[in-house]
Amino acid sequence: MNNEILNKVDEIIELINNSDDYKEYLKLKEVISNNEEITSLINKVKSLQKEIVHGYNKELELQETLNTLNNHPIYREYNNKVIDINNQINLIETTLNNYINKKINEN
């Protein structure tokens, strides 16, 4: 039974991997990794976050950098794809949980 379940999970993962949203996400991820402006902003955000953890007052600069990053059209589209994919995964999880609970409560 365990192998059957794992095989079905693999099928679900394959469906996600073959979805248009996931393919678009991969393309956008590649575009971002090759975009110097976006990668520079991401690295600056990470650096500022580290400085804040070490007690430096960089919150305003971090917020400004995040605003610039989040307003970049490619990065915004990428984030929307991430949200879409996460919503799909959450829907699958919820559907499975509801179905399993229903079947358990029927007995």
Side-chain angles (χ1 to χ4, degrees):
M1 183 167 129
N2 263 350
N3 282 339
E4 286 180 55
I5 292 171
L6 292 176
N7 288 337
K8 295 299 179 186
V9 170
D10 284 340
E11 287 178 29
I12 292 171
I13 291 170
E14 188 67 25
L15 284 171
I16 293 169
N17 286 341
N18 288 327
S19 72
D20 290 339
D21 282 338
Y22 188 73
K23 290 176 184 176
E24 183 65 23
Y25 157 79
L26 292 176
K27 287 178 191 173
L28 289 166
K29 186 177 176 182
E30 181 70 23
V31 168
I32 285 174
S33 70
N34 293 321
N35 185 303
E36 192 172 314
E37 179 186 4
I38 295 174
T39 56
S40 175
L41 287 167
I42 291 170
N43 290 333
K44 185 174 181 182
V45 165
K46 290 176 183 178
S47 176
L48 289 168
Q49 288 171 332
K50 287 179 186 176
E51 289 182 40
I52 290 170
V53 167
H54 293 294
Y56 294 99
N57 185 12
K58 299 285 185 165
E59 287 84 2
L60 182 58
E61 187 178 355
L62 173 61
Q63 190 57 51
E64 290 170 353
T65 306
L66 281 171
N67 287 341
T68 302
L69 178 62
N70 289 328
N71 286 318
H72 194 289
I74 295 171
Y75 191 77
R76 192 170 49 242
E77 187 177 352
Y78 167 81
N79 274 334
N80 287 338
K81 282 298 167 196
V82 169
I83 291 168
D84 290 345
I85 292 168
N86 283 334
N87 286 340
Q88 290 173 14
I89 292 169
N90 287 333
L91 177 61
I92 292 167
E93 180 183 15
T94 300
T95 302
L96 286 171
N97 283 333
N98 290 342
Y99 182 76
I100 290 168
N101 286 331
K102 180 182 172 188
K103 287 297 181 180
I104 288 172
N105 291 327
E106 282 179 359
N107 296 329

